[in-house]
Amino acid sequence: MHYDVICVQYFLQGELKSLQEVASASFTYAQDLIKHNLVVFRSGEGALQVLPPLIDVLPEARLNLVIYYLRQGNPAVSC
């Protein structure tokens, strides 16, 4: 990766984490979306804890969980 891309990703992760901390309980959807995006920005880190509960909330969560399993070399689980 280029240095500038790494800097942008680091900044976005920090900003997303800050938003997650200040979001109130009435913004559950926003909190779920932030959790999902943090997993994506972190290349799947925490995917097995975060994505399965979000499958019925965010359509992208199912797709990103499949991508995670494929990257882990486990295509049978992804189906």
Side-chain angles (χ1 to χ4, degrees):
M1 275 190 184
H2 292 86
Y3 178 73
D4 55 339
V5 173
I6 293 170
C7 288
V8 168
Q9 285 182 336
Y10 180 78
F11 173 77
L12 287 174
Q13 287 180 20
E15 289 298 308
L16 287 172
K17 191 66 174 167
S18 296
L19 284 173
Q20 184 180 22
E21 290 169 359
V22 298
S24 71
S26 64
F27 293 105
T28 304
Y29 181 82
Q31 289 176 323
D32 290 342
L33 182 62
I34 291 167
K35 287 179 195 175
H36 170 270
N37 288 345
L38 283 171
V39 168
V40 172
F41 283 132
R42 293 177 179 156
S43 300
E45 181 182 328
L48 295 178
Q49 292 80 28
V50 173
L51 297 180
L54 299 180
I55 287 176
D56 294 327
V57 179
L58 298 168
E60 299 89 353
R62 181 180 307 276
L63 175 62
N64 285 314
L65 188 58
V66 168
I67 292 169
Y68 171 80
Y69 282 126
L70 291 172
R71 286 185 175 166
Q72 297 301 310
N74 201 347
V77 177
S78 67
C79 296

